[in-house]
Amino acid sequence: AATVAAAHGACQVSCYLKPRSAMSTEGPSSSWLRGDTRKKPTAFLLRALLFICVAFRVAAALIRVSYHVAAGSVLGVARVLFAAANERCLRGMDRAALGRGSFFVGAVANSWRVLMQGLASLMFLCARADEYVRQPPSPLVLTAHDKPAAHPQQVHISTVGRNKMRISWVTDDRNTPSVVEYGESRGNYTASATGDQATYKYFFYESGAIHHVTIGPLAPGTTYHYRCGKAGDELTLRTPPASLPLELVVIGDLGQTRWTASTLAHIGGADYDMLLLPGDLSYADTQQPLWDSFGRLVQPLASARPWMVTEGNHEAEALPVVGFAPFVAYNARWRMPHEESGSASNLYYSFDAAGGAAHVVMLGSYAEFEEGSAQRAWLERDLAGVDRRRTPWLLVLLHAPWYNTNQAHQGEGEAMRAAMEALLYEARVDVVFSGHVHAYERFTRIYDNEADGRGPMYITIGDGGNREGLALKFLEDHKSAHLSVFQEASFGHGRLRIVDETSAVWTWHRNDDEYATVRDEVWLESLASPKLSMAAAGRQDEEL
Ligand SMILES: [Fe+2]
């Protein structure tokens, strides 16, 4: 490139030196072009410059062509070699996770994974050398599948409409039926439903059959026993209640490490009605078997209560060079009720809970959100349809936080905040939950960077337990520091217990403690409450 630039520069210089009249062979000034160098001493110099110009142009063209041919060949060969090596190691890792294959193959496969993740981390560190300090990585918890290929695995459930539930699972055998049998008594299935299945490919990885079946109508607050694919174990779920109270677990950036296992154990230690996850689920990060391992890790909880999720940056897995579109695995595996809420994309949707007493909006930080975008138009329609006399609680979840005093991911949610904050404020959204920053932080009610009693309370809860570790440093001199009420860089989870039409209590539970411990607690009053709607703007946290 330097040679090409030099050649181009030399040509430019010589062309500028050349007088315009020199381009003509007519007239008294053209004798130097005929080789009369004795009469015109400068003619030789000008002819030499012209020659150099042409020579540099030819050289530049040759260099350019050679570069493209060589680079294309090398990259093409490297791409094929990488894909082949990666595919073999992924299979080896998958077999090792299943307890099959030789120790040597498993060791090589895991070494490859560590090498790839190390290189990715190195690039990340080089790009953001002093961004923030993290704890050392925690080992992955790989969850093996030791049942027959037709056995359903990775079962998780999600609400669909007011009284239905979607059951999703995977089978390695791609010829198993997409059927769910269910009933209110153990082993006594009084109903069944049939759905659909699909697979996807990523490099040489091909997923198992991903099944989705919607069952119902179901009674609220009721325990059902169900079996997937006419072959699986009997599982149990409980439908959400038809009215308040409602207990929601909120957790982001979950991953599948020992920290994740600790978080899941704490969540499972107390009952709840529904789990909300504002992005970054498996941290597969293109290693597709890790999606399968994650599905098996969360199944005990995700098959028993609805898990409602939205996407984070780690779900994207886009590889434009080799033609992989973003969110392929996420959309295939974690289908959410977007069609039922009038959304054209699985990346943003909404749903009602507790018989419509709560409306939950799941926004997409990685879908277009600007004025004129489909997501923004959908959000306007969705919020316009919320009657706050019927729906006293309005919650929003998204991945990249709009308010954040942690050193990590500064400013990444700013464009979305600028595009959408006014919509949420006018709708009197009660709470906005986000993830992405691997720490816990709670703000007061805010609108447009100022404390405002009519704005949402902002909570960052990206401390589920992923392999990247915690974001340890909060900025005391940040412009939003005076709005931040509580910060702690520890793994944990949160719970929002909506008690009735006017009152709810938010608690944050830290993993570090041997027993369930509430580290942060705040009571909220619904912004639809007549009492609160009369309150003046600008109230501080203790008045929430
Ligand atoms: Fe993230």
Side-chain angles (χ1 to χ4, degrees), residues 253 280 283 312-314 366 399 409 435-438:
D253 302 68
D280 283 0
Y283 283 75
N313 52 309
H314 285 274
Y366 305 95
H399 188 61
H409 301 302
H436 202 35
V437 175
H438 301 161

Side-chain angles (χ1 to χ4, degrees), residues 296-450:
R296 293 188 285 265
L297 178 67
V298 301
Q299 176 179 315
L301 295 181
S303 63
R305 299 288 184 273
W307 276 39
M308 310 304 289
V309 305
T310 189
E311 86 281 7
N313 52 309
H314 285 274
E315 273 70 70
E317 302 184 299
L319 291 174
V321 177
V322 287
F324 288 115
F327 303 109
V328 170
Y330 170 75
N331 284 334
R333 294 169 182 271
W334 290 82
R335 186 189 298 176
M336 291 290 119
H338 63 279
E339 292 164 337
E340 292 77 3
S341 59
S343 164
S345 170
N346 193 47
L347 302 181
Y348 50 88
Y349 64 96
S350 67
F351 61 95
D352 284 342
H359 186 69
V360 182
V361 180
M362 302 292 243
L363 293 180
S365 291
Y366 305 95
E368 289 187 1
F369 45 70
E370 295 82 4
E371 184 86 37
S373 66
Q375 180 175 201
R376 196 179 189 287
W378 169 82
L379 178 61
E380 285 186 47
R381 289 196 304 273
D382 189 77
L383 293 175
V386 178
D387 180 354
R388 296 305 298 272
R389 290 167 300 183
R390 275 189 55 251
T391 305
W393 292 96
L394 184 51
L395 311 175
V396 170
L397 287 89
L398 49 90
H399 188 61
W402 293 357
Y403 291 99
N404 167 35
T405 71
N406 195 290
Q407 194 173 20
H409 301 302
Q410 270 302 311
E412 291 186 22
E414 179 59 20
M416 192 180 190
R417 184 195 70 80
M420 290 183 157
E421 186 180 26
L423 288 179
L424 304 195
Y425 180 71
E426 287 159 14
R428 297 287 179 266
V429 168
D430 292 290
V431 189
V432 175
F433 296 102
S434 59
H436 202 35
V437 175
H438 301 161
Y440 171 69
E441 182 166 26
R442 176 170 63 83
F443 290 84
T444 186
R445 294 192 180 283
I446 303 176
Y447 176 60
D448 197 15
N449 288 294
E450 296 294 340

Side-chain angles (χ1 to χ4, degrees), residues 80-241:
V80 170
L81 289 175
F82 175 83
N86 198 46
E87 185 267 342
R88 288 190 70 83
C89 287
L90 286 175
R91 289 189 182 177
M93 193 174 72
D94 204 24
R95 288 177 66 80
L98 299 175
R100 302 172 194 152
S102 70
F103 173 79
F104 177 74
V105 171
V108 169
N110 272 302
S111 300
W112 172 265
R113 178 182 59 77
V114 169
L115 177 65
M116 290 298 105
Q117 290 180 352
L119 288 174
S121 300
L122 189 61
M123 286 192 294
F124 180 82
L125 285 173
C126 289
R128 302 181 171 187
D130 60 346
E131 188 188 24
Y132 52 89
V133 180
R134 292 188 187 277
Q135 285 187 342
S138 168
L140 293 180
V141 176
L142 295 176
T143 314
H145 179 60
D146 53 4
K147 302 274 177 60
H151 194 92
Q153 52 168 307
Q154 308 174 46
V155 185
H156 62 89
I157 64 174
S158 48
T159 62
V160 179
R162 183 148 290 204
N163 56 8
K164 294 184 179 177
M165 197 77 77
R166 178 174 288 127
I167 316 292
S168 304
W169 74 94
V170 176
T171 51
D172 289 338
D173 184 343
R174 299 183 182 87
N175 297 304
T176 57
S178 301
V179 173
V180 172
E181 305 158 283
Y182 60 100
E184 294 186 40
S185 306
R186 284 188 189 282
N188 181 21
Y189 307 126
T190 54
S192 71
T194 303
D196 58 77
Q197 60 180 279
T199 63
Y200 72 89
K201 290 184 178 179
Y202 197 94
F203 278 115
F204 294 100
Y205 171 91
E206 182 170 1
S207 73
I210 302 169
H211 307 258
H212 299 287
V213 176
T214 302
I215 64 172
L218 305 172
T222 302
T223 297
Y224 286 88
H225 305 274
Y226 66 102
R227 188 174 71 156
C228 303
K230 296 189 171 182
D233 300 327
E234 182 173 278
L235 300 168
T236 301
L237 65 84
R238 194 182 72 208
T239 55

